[in-house]
Coordinates of all heavy atoms in Angstrom, one line a residue:
Q1 N 8.5 1.7 -1.9 CA 9.3 2.3 -2.9 C 8.5 3.5 -3.5 O 7.3 3.4 -3.7 CB 9.5 1.3 -4.0 CG 10.1 0.0 -3.6 CD 9.9 -1.1 -4.6 OE1 9.1 -1.1 -5.5 NE2 10.8 -2.1 -4.5
E2 N 9.3 4.6 -3.7 CA 8.7 5.8 -4.2 C 9.4 6.2 -5.5 O 10.6 6.3 -5.5 CB 8.7 6.9 -3.2 CG 8.0 8.2 -3.6 CD 8.8 9.2 -4.4 OE1 10.0 9.3 -4.2 OE2 8.2 9.8 -5.3
R3 N 8.6 6.3 -6.6 CA 9.3 6.7 -7.8 C 8.2 7.4 -8.7 O 7.1 6.9 -8.9 CB 9.8 5.5 -8.5 CG 10.5 5.8 -9.8 CD 11.1 4.5 -10.4 NE 11.7 4.9 -11.7 CZ 12.2 4.0 -12.5 NH1 12.1 2.7 -12.2 NH2 12.7 4.4 -13.6
D4 N 8.6 8.6 -9.2 CA 7.8 9.3 -10.2 C 6.4 9.6 -9.6 O 5.4 9.4 -10.4 CB 7.7 8.6 -11.5 CG 9.1 8.4 -12.2 OD1 9.9 9.4 -12.0 OD2 9.3 7.4 -12.8
G5 N 6.2 9.9 -8.4 CA 4.9 10.3 -7.8 C 4.1 9.1 -7.4 O 2.9 9.2 -7.1
V6 N 4.7 7.9 -7.4 CA 3.9 6.7 -7.1 C 4.6 6.0 -5.9 O 5.8 5.8 -5.9 CB 3.9 5.6 -8.2 CG1 3.2 4.4 -7.8 CG2 3.2 6.2 -9.4
L7 N 3.8 5.8 -4.8 CA 4.3 5.1 -3.7 C 3.8 3.6 -3.8 O 2.6 3.4 -3.8 CB 3.8 5.7 -2.4 CG 4.3 5.1 -1.1 CD1 5.8 5.5 -0.9 CD2 3.5 5.6 0.1
R8 N 4.8 2.7 -4.0 CA 4.4 1.3 -4.2 C 4.7 0.6 -2.9 O 5.8 0.6 -2.4 CB 5.2 0.8 -5.3 CG 4.9 -0.7 -5.6 CD 5.8 -1.2 -6.8 NE 5.8 -2.6 -6.7 CZ 5.3 -3.4 -7.7 NH1 4.9 -2.9 -8.8 NH2 5.3 -4.7 -7.5
L9 N 3.7 -0.2 -2.5 CA 3.9 -1.1 -1.3 C 3.9 -2.5 -1.8 O 3.1 -2.9 -2.5 CB 2.7 -0.9 -0.4 CG 2.4 0.5 0.1 CD1 1.1 0.5 0.9 CD2 3.5 1.2 0.8
V10 N 5.0 -3.2 -1.4 CA 5.1 -4.6 -1.8 C 5.0 -5.4 -0.5 O 5.8 -5.3 0.4 CB 6.5 -4.9 -2.5 CG1 6.6 -6.3 -2.9 CG2 6.6 -3.9 -3.7
F11 N 4.1 -6.4 -0.5 CA 3.9 -7.3 0.6 C 4.4 -8.6 0.2 O 4.0 -9.2 -0.8 CB 2.4 -7.3 1.0 CG 1.9 -6.0 1.5 CD1 1.1 -5.2 0.6 CD2 2.1 -5.6 2.8 CE1 0.6 -4.0 1.1 CE2 1.6 -4.4 3.2 CZ 0.8 -3.6 2.4
A12 N 5.3 -9.2 1.0 CA 5.8 -10.5 0.7 C 4.8 -11.7 0.9 O 4.9 -12.7 0.3 CB 7.1 -10.8 1.6
R13 N 3.9 -11.4 1.8 CA 2.9 -12.5 2.1 C 1.5 -12.1 1.5 O 1.0 -11.0 1.7 CB 2.7 -12.6 3.7 CG 4.0 -13.2 4.3 CD 3.9 -13.2 5.8 NE 2.6 -13.4 6.3 CZ 2.3 -13.2 7.6 NH1 3.2 -12.7 8.5 NH2 1.0 -13.3 8.1
S14 N 0.9 -13.1 0.9 CA -0.4 -12.8 0.2 C -1.5 -12.5 1.2 O -2.4 -11.7 0.9 CB -0.8 -14.0 -0.7 OG -0.9 -15.2 0.1
D15 N -1.4 -13.1 2.4 CA -2.5 -12.8 3.4 C -2.4 -11.4 3.9 O -3.4 -10.7 4.2 CB -2.4 -13.8 4.6 CG -1.1 -13.8 5.4 OD1 0.0 -13.5 4.8 OD2 -1.1 -14.1 6.6
V16 N -1.2 -10.8 4.0 CA -1.0 -9.4 4.4 C -1.5 -8.5 3.3 O -2.2 -7.5 3.5 CB 0.4 -9.1 4.8 CG1 0.6 -7.6 5.2 CG2 0.8 -10.0 6.0
A17 N -1.2 -8.9 2.1 CA -1.7 -8.1 0.9 C -3.2 -8.1 0.9 O -3.8 -7.0 0.6 CB -1.1 -8.6 -0.4
A18 N -3.8 -9.2 1.1 CA -5.3 -9.3 1.1 C -5.9 -8.5 2.2 O -6.9 -7.8 2.1 CB -5.7 -10.8 1.2
A19 N -5.2 -8.6 3.4 CA -5.7 -7.7 4.5 C -5.6 -6.3 4.2 O -6.5 -5.5 4.6 CB -4.9 -8.1 5.8
W20 N -4.5 -5.8 3.5 CA -4.4 -4.5 3.1 C -5.6 -4.1 2.2 O -6.2 -3.0 2.4 CB -3.1 -4.3 2.4 CG -2.9 -2.9 1.9 CD1 -3.1 -2.4 0.6 CD2 -2.4 -1.7 2.6 NE1 -2.9 -1.1 0.5 CE2 -2.4 -0.6 1.8 CE3 -2.0 -1.6 3.9 CZ2 -2.0 0.6 2.2 CZ3 -1.6 -0.3 4.4 CH2 -1.6 0.8 3.5
E21 N -5.9 -4.9 1.2 CA -7.0 -4.6 0.3 C -8.3 -4.5 1.0 O -9.1 -3.6 0.6 CB -7.0 -5.7 -0.8 CG -5.8 -5.7 -1.7 CD -5.7 -4.4 -2.6 OE1 -6.8 -3.9 -3.0 OE2 -4.6 -4.0 -2.9
E22 N -8.6 -5.3 2.0 CA -9.9 -5.4 2.6 C -10.1 -4.5 3.7 O -11.2 -4.2 4.1 CB -10.1 -6.9 3.1 CG -10.1 -7.9 2.0 CD -10.1 -9.3 2.5 OE1 -10.1 -9.5 3.8 OE2 -10.0 -10.2 1.7
S23 N -9.0 -3.9 4.3 CA -9.1 -3.1 5.5 C -9.4 -1.7 5.4 O -9.8 -1.0 6.4 CB -7.7 -3.2 6.3 OG -6.8 -2.5 5.5
G24 N -9.3 -1.1 4.2 CA -9.4 0.3 4.1 C -8.2 1.1 4.5 O -8.2 2.3 4.6
A25 N -7.1 0.3 4.7 CA -5.9 1.0 5.2 C -5.3 1.9 4.1 O -4.7 2.9 4.4 CB -4.8 -0.1 5.6
Q26 N -5.5 1.5 2.8 CA -4.9 2.4 1.8 C -5.5 3.8 1.8 O -4.8 4.8 1.7 CB -5.1 1.8 0.4 CG -4.5 2.6 -0.7 CD -4.3 1.9 -2.0 OE1 -4.0 0.7 -2.0 NE2 -4.3 2.6 -3.1
A27 N -6.8 3.9 2.0 CA -7.5 5.2 2.1 C -6.9 6.0 3.3 O -6.7 7.2 3.2 CB -9.0 5.0 2.3
A28 N -6.6 5.3 4.4 CA -6.1 6.0 5.6 C -4.7 6.5 5.3 O -4.3 7.6 5.6 CB -6.0 5.0 6.8
L29 N -3.9 5.7 4.6 CA -2.5 6.1 4.2 C -2.6 7.3 3.2 O -1.9 8.3 3.3 CB -1.8 4.9 3.5 CG -0.4 5.3 2.9 CD1 0.5 5.9 4.0 CD2 0.2 4.1 2.3
E30 N -3.5 7.2 2.2 CA -3.7 8.3 1.3 C -4.1 9.6 2.0 O -3.6 10.7 1.6 CB -4.6 7.9 0.2 CG -4.1 6.8 -0.8 CD -5.2 6.2 -1.7 OE1 -6.4 6.4 -1.4 OE2 -4.8 5.6 -2.7
D31 N -5.0 9.5 2.9 CA -5.4 10.7 3.7 C -4.2 11.3 4.5 O -4.0 12.5 4.5 CB -6.5 10.3 4.7 CG -7.8 10.1 4.0 OD1 -7.9 10.4 2.8 OD2 -8.7 9.5 4.6
A32 N -3.4 10.4 5.1 CA -2.2 10.8 5.9 C -1.2 11.5 5.0 O -0.6 12.5 5.3 CB -1.6 9.7 6.6
L33 N -1.0 10.9 3.8 CA 0.0 11.5 2.8 C -0.5 12.9 2.4 O 0.3 13.8 2.3 CB 0.1 10.6 1.6 CG 0.9 9.3 1.8 CD1 0.8 8.4 0.7 CD2 2.4 9.6 2.0
A34 N -1.8 13.0 2.0 CA -2.3 14.3 1.6 C -2.2 15.3 2.7 O -1.9 16.5 2.5 CB -3.8 14.1 1.2

């Protein structure tokens, strides 16, 4: 979801959300967006 300059990712499964937090994937996404 994108709103007011914020890209929000919602994960239905807690294990996937935890993997997202631990993987460094957010930094990769932020770099790609930039």
Side-chain angles (χ1 to χ4, degrees):
Q1 304 164 339
E2 188 269 328
R3 185 174 177 189
D4 299 325
V6 176
L7 186 70
R8 181 183 161 120
L9 308 175
V10 180
F11 297 100
R13 294 177 27 198
S14 61
D15 61 329
V16 176
W20 178 263
E21 292 293 326
E22 296 169 6
S23 69
Q26 183 161 329
L29 175 59
E30 290 169 343
D31 289 347
L33 287 167

